[in-house]
Amino acid sequence: MVVTAADAVDGTAVVAIGADASGAAAPTLHRTDLPNGLTVLSEHVPGARSVAFGAWVRAATLHESAEQMGVSHLLEHMVFKGTRSYSAQDIALSLETLGGSLDAYTEREHTSYQARVLDEHLADAATVIGELVFEPMLRLDDLALERKVILEEISMVEDTPDDIIFDVHNRALWGDHPHGYAILGTRDTVRALDVADLQALHARAYHPGRLVVAASGRVEHEQLLDVLDRAGWTQRPRGDMTPFAVDPVEAAGAHAEHVLRRDIGQTHIVLGGQGIAYGDPRRYAFAVVDMLLGGGMSSKLFQRVREELGLAYSVSTFNSSFADTGAHGVYLASAPDTAQEALDAVREVMHEVAANGLTSEELAAGKRQLRGQLVLSMEGVSSRMYRAATTALYGEPFRTVDQLMALVEAIDEDTVREVAREYFNPDRHVLVSLGPQAVR
């Protein structure tokens, strides 16, 4: 049966996304917007015996002040220290003893809590994550301990050049804008954060009006709504919906920065700039260029820098898209005396792509590769859960596999040339290096 907006569960409209007007195509994604503001999405995956369940809070690093940098990440840690019904040990044991997993992360725009369990334990996952989201204790004694953990995490990043170089590049690219903040915060900001800061963020953001819940696997939508109702999610009040103030973002102009580190054996390099926003219709054309440039062993940069010149063990591109902008670039590490030669080779390849785009043969090969990656990425219930959540977090239309393949197939050479010229010219990028010797 095709569920439409006219059907209802407990008085709440349920919309099936993916069916055509006649109902000829079976829906695969369901969405319910509950009266308290909670958005619920689910996708049943035939043949699966597990369920991926996640909750996304629409608050993260992008919504922080400079003085409170890292508060979202610290709160994400602190909820695991205990809730009204669970001790920290109870939380750790709750799903692992069932063979499942529980995890969380903080990114630029969202903070997320997810579980992967057997289908028979969906209610356990919803209950545990509900406790983490709605009922953390946020105790002063726990903060003192967890602050030390975060400071150790910062030290771990500082000891890992291929991690810290990306924080350095973010600051160089975005400056004082929150897009340039360190997700972990700084030592000074983490030390200054107190329980009142965590409580204020929790009260403002951790409520149904700012939450998206998604599940994928062996789950039916009505079942998920019932599980959430029994776990108390539907009875929670909407909460403060005052918009977070986020200034418009503009990337810095092309320049170079170097962080001197004499204690490491390589020069680490990031060359990158402003990328493509999530809703840009050229996103798939961008993805093809990015993938062929540095997406694997067959990519132009890997073949040139590693296979032909032997100047780096690894060279790759990276890309992150956000609601308002994006960031992308190239990362590599090379010995100090060969780092400049490696960077020159990268620029040479990028200049050629920016000037000429891709040949028809390269574009055809890129389409095949991207189609394969898209389909393979949807083989797991966790990746399908993320895709379901994305439809609500970014207003992304839900598309069937065939519709995604059609979008990839529709990529044309003119659009490829346009995004290559606009985004992949290295002369417009910010260069950051870290190591014993600078590059230019």
Side-chain angles (χ1 to χ4, degrees):
M1 180 182 75
V2 176
V3 184
T4 70
D7 296 287
V9 175
D10 295 331
T12 303
V14 179
V15 179
I17 307 168
D20 63 20
S22 68
T28 54
L29 182 71
H30 289 81
R31 171 172 175 161
T32 300
D33 295 304
L34 292 168
N36 66 351
L38 183 67
T39 298
V40 183
L41 303 113
S42 71
E43 182 183 17
H44 176 75
V45 180
R49 278 301 311 272
S50 65
V51 177
F53 175 92
W56 280 258
V57 183
R58 299 177 189 261
T61 307
L62 189 60
H63 311 109
E64 297 172 354
S65 66
E67 297 74 22
Q68 291 192 330
M69 189 190 308
V71 64
S72 302
H73 177 255
L74 181 56
L75 178 56
E76 175 229 309
H77 273 239
M78 281 290 292
V79 304
F80 284 87
K81 302 304 289 184
T83 71
R84 293 194 184 277
S85 302
Y86 291 85
S87 68
Q89 187 176 31
D90 292 336
I91 294 168
L93 295 173
S94 59
L95 301 184
E96 285 191 6
T97 57
L98 302 176
S101 61
L102 178 64
D103 199 6
Y105 66 84
T106 304
E107 55 175 17
R108 295 284 160 198
E109 297 171 297
H110 311 109
T111 307
S112 182
Y113 302 86
Q114 322 103 51
R116 175 87 180 274
V117 293
L118 295 179
D119 60 304
E120 62 201 74
H121 298 139
L122 173 60
D124 299 277
T127 298
V128 172
I129 291 182
E131 281 280 324
L132 294 175
V133 170
F134 298 121
E135 299 289 352
M137 296 301 292
L138 305 180
R139 294 172 293 232
L140 181 60
D141 289 347
D142 293 330
L143 175 58
L145 289 172
E146 203 60 28
R147 183 185 285 119
K148 292 167 63 176
V149 172
I150 301 296
L151 293 175
E152 289 297 328
E153 190 175 0
I154 292 173
S155 295
M156 183 173 65
V157 170
E158 291 174 345
D159 285 346
T160 312
D162 53 346
D163 282 343
I164 195 173
I165 188 71
F166 287 97
D167 276 348
V168 174
H169 187 265
N170 270 331
R171 288 195 296 272
L173 180 62
W174 304 115
D176 294 333
H177 193 276
H179 270 298
Y181 291 175
I183 290 174
L184 302 185
T186 68
R187 294 183 185 280
D188 289 341
T189 61
V190 170
R191 288 190 180 107
L193 292 169
D194 59 28
V195 169
D197 297 318
L198 301 177
Q199 291 171 335
L201 176 59
H202 184 266
R204 186 173 183 189
Y206 279 57
H207 59 78
R210 295 194 194 275
L211 283 173
V212 170
V213 168
S216 178
R218 191 171 185 177
V219 58
E220 300 294 343
H221 195 69
E222 292 80 0
Q223 171 201 6
L224 176 61
L225 292 172
D226 181 61
V227 163
L228 291 171
D229 185 55
R230 286 187 283 113
W233 291 70
T234 60
Q235 288 82 50
R236 302 283 177 175
R238 180 184 294 265
D240 182 2
M241 292 300 293
T242 306
F244 288 99
V246 180
D247 292 333
V249 62
E250 183 176 350
H255 68 282
E257 297 184 15
H258 179 68
V259 178
L260 180 62
R261 285 282 298 269
R262 292 192 175 94
D263 59 326
I264 57 178
Q266 291 182 301
T267 294
H268 295 257
I269 300 168
V270 169
L271 177 66
Q274 187 166 10
I276 203 159
Y278 208 97
D280 195 311
R282 302 171 299 169
R283 197 170 85 233
Y284 292 102
F286 184 100
V288 166
V289 178
D290 184 76
M291 178 184 63
L292 292 182
L293 187 64
M297 291 189 298
S298 64
S299 67
K300 291 174 177 286
L301 289 176
F302 192 95
Q303 287 295 310
R304 177 61 175 159
V305 176
R306 172 170 164 155
E307 297 301 285
E308 295 178 20
L309 300 176
L311 296 175
Y313 176 77
S314 178
V315 55
S316 60
T317 54
F318 62 91
N319 174 45
S320 298
S321 291
F322 309 112
D324 57 346
T325 187
H328 80 113
V330 177
Y331 164 77
L332 72 151
S334 184
D337 59 347
T338 59
Q340 186 64 55
E341 184 182 357
L343 176 60
D344 291 343
V346 167
R347 285 193 173 117
E348 180 184 353
V349 173
M350 294 184 70
H351 274 130
E352 195 279 329
V353 170
N356 302 314
L358 302 173
T359 67
S360 57
E361 292 80 9
E362 289 172 334
L363 179 54
K367 289 180 180 181
R368 289 194 301 270
Q369 188 173 344
L370 184 57
R371 285 198 303 267
Q373 289 184 358
L374 287 171
V375 173
L376 291 175
S377 72
M378 289 185 281
E379 291 288 310
V381 295
S382 294
S383 59
R384 296 178 84 108
M385 172 192 66
Y386 286 116
R387 184 172 73 126
T390 296
T391 65
L393 294 172
Y394 292 104
E396 176 81 352
F398 179 77
R399 296 183 174 97
T400 64
V401 172
D402 287 343
Q403 289 170 331
L404 287 173
M405 297 303 98
L407 284 176
V408 173
E409 194 56 41
I411 298 170
D412 59 81
E413 292 185 33
D414 289 341
T415 305
V416 165
R417 278 192 293 270
E418 179 184 332
V419 298
R421 182 172 58 251
E422 182 174 348
Y423 292 102
F424 290 88
N425 183 345
D427 295 341
R428 301 177 182 174
H429 287 176
V430 173
L431 169 66
V432 168
S433 56
L434 181 149
Q437 185 172 315
V439 291
R440 61 187 189 279

